[in-house]
């Protein structure tokens, strides 16, 4: 990473790139047969790294429906994280979603995406937008009701800022734990795959290798079960870092195969993988 109904059979579903999943960009339908054809198509395209095609499916709805507009913006923000490209398209989609937002929850969701876009630009060394990221997520925290499903994603993203921009691992740990508990409570297994991954990363940072291995294994398992193909190579690479040989090499080789299959996505993983 409970659903909010959207008009014309398009639903707002929460799920995200590394290191953050999408707020409303299309998670795997949790009730096969009940999701609309658009839901399923958006998920299939997103899970294979075809964000522009997935966003195009939502375009007919996004002009008038805030949830669809937010969902479309979230997909394009995620594309930036995986490819370090598409910034103008993401910004344009996000501004459109912000203009449509009518209530606090919608404005909070838009602010959460604004924070993620700014965080992504900063962590990928495109442009330092760290102050904007903090301000936007702070605004989201003020707007989103305590019981909103989006609070789990918000806590997760605040953990990312604490870990990667502020270097305050204890604050990051607390945020990831809140996000993990909330995601587990609503069966948001995609978001759980991200919280497991980052909880494991903090464990490894503290030298807790067995705990880290468990978290990375759970993250990989969930992504395999969900069919989140574009998130598989990062999960395999993370697990390889805590496995002995020859398993570590096997995992990196599999990650490299998937990376090449998806056309070199995510781009930031290139230096961590063996050559073909």
């Amino acid at each position: 990473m409970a659903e909010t109904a959207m008009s014309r059979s398009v639903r707002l579903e929460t799920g995200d790139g590394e290191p953050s999943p999408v707020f409303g960009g299309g998670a795997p339908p949790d009730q096969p047969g009940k999701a609309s054809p658009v839901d399923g198509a958006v998920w299939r395209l997103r899970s294979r790294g075809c964000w522009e095609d997935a966003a195009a499916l939502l375009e007919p709805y996004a002009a008038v429906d805030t949830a669809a507009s937010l969902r479309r913006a979230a997909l394009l923000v995620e594309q930036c994280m995986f490819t370090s490209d598409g910034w103008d398209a993401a910004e344009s989609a996000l501004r459109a979603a912000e203009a449509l937002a009518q209530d606090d929850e919608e404005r909070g969701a838009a602010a959460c995406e604004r924070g993620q876009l700014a965080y992504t630009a900063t962590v990928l060394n495109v442009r330092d937008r760290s102050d904007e990221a903090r301000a936007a997520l702070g605004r989201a925290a003020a707007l989103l009701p305590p019981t909103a499903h989006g609070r789990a994603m918000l806590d997760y993203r605040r953990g990312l800022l604490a870990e990667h921009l502020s270097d305050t691992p204890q604050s990051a740990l607390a945020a990831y734990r809140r996000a993990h508990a909330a995601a587990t409570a609503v069966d948001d297994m995609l978001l759980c795959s991200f919280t497991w991954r980052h909880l494991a990363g903090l464990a490894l940072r503290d030298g807790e290798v067995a705990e880290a291995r468990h978290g990375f294994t759970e993250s990989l398992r969930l992504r395999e079960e969900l069919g989140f193909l574009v998130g598989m190579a990062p999960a395999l690479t993370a697990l390889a870092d805590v496995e002995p040989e020859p398993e570590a090499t096997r995992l990196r080789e599999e990650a490299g195969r998937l990376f090449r299959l998806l056309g070199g996505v995510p781009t930031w993983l290139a230096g961590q993988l063996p050559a073909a």
Side-chain angles (χ1 to χ4, degrees):
M1 188 235 47
E3 298 169 337
T4 303
M6 292 172 57
S7 66
R8 305 191 196 183
S9 298
V10 185
R11 300 182 303 164
L12 174 63
E13 299 181 84
T14 58
D16 179 13
E18 294 288 352
S20 175
V22 170
F23 182 84
D30 58 354
Q31 293 179 295
K34 294 188 178 181
S36 77
V38 173
D39 288 321
V42 168
W43 167 250
R44 286 189 297 274
L45 289 165
R46 178 195 170 199
S47 66
R48 289 157 177 77
C50 301
W51 297 279
E52 290 182 0
D53 292 337
L57 290 179
L58 295 174
E59 195 164 1
Y61 312 100
V64 294
D65 187 291
T66 307
S69 186
L70 282 165
R71 187 174 177 184
R72 181 173 179 272
L75 287 163
L76 296 172
V77 169
E78 182 175 87
Q79 178 177 243
C80 293
M81 174 57 75
F82 273 96
T83 68
S84 194
D85 198 10
W87 302 97
D88 289 345
E91 179 66 33
S92 177
L94 184 51
R95 286 181 179 174
E98 288 168 338
L100 280 177
Q102 297 295 312
D103 58 31
D104 282 353
E105 191 156 356
E106 290 174 347
R107 286 189 286 269
C112 193
E113 283 307 318
R114 170 66 61 191
Q116 176 63 11
L117 183 62
Y119 166 80
T120 299
T122 305
V123 81
L124 293 182
N125 297 314
V126 174
R127 183 159 63 92
D128 185 354
R129 297 172 61 180
S130 53
D131 288 344
E132 181 186 354
R134 292 187 180 94
L137 293 189
R139 188 163 65 253
L143 289 167
L144 286 172
T147 57
H149 187 74
R151 294 294 303 200
M153 180 64 68
L154 175 61
D155 279 332
Y156 174 76
R157 288 176 169 174
R158 296 178 87 179
L160 293 176
L161 262 65
E163 181 180 3
H164 297 292
L165 300 188
S166 301
D167 194 26
T168 52
Q170 287 306 311
S171 295
L173 180 63
Y176 292 150
R177 283 176 172 168
R178 289 195 304 271
H180 187 77
T184 300
V186 296
D187 263 349
D188 189 341
M189 293 298 102
L190 186 58
L191 181 52
C192 282
S193 82
F194 286 88
T195 52
W196 271 123
R197 173 182 167 86
H198 286 274
L199 286 168
L202 289 178
L204 184 60
R205 181 172 175 166
D206 287 342
E208 300 292 339
V209 178
E211 184 179 345
R213 183 181 297 115
H214 174 69
F216 290 139
T217 298
E218 285 300 296
S219 177
L220 177 60
R221 177 185 64 81
L222 288 171
R223 293 180 184 193
E224 288 176 335
E225 290 178 358
L226 294 169
F228 190 50
L229 187 64
V230 77
M232 291 287 293
L236 287 161
T237 304
L239 183 57
D241 288 342
V242 293
E243 290 286 11
E245 295 293 353
E247 180 66 6
T249 294
R250 186 194 70 79
L251 290 168
R252 288 192 182 94
E253 288 175 347
E254 176 64 11
R257 185 186 69 80
L258 288 169
F259 176 77
R260 292 185 292 275
L261 178 68
L262 293 170
V265 173
T267 54
W268 44 263
L269 200 58
Q272 303 176 44
L273 297 172

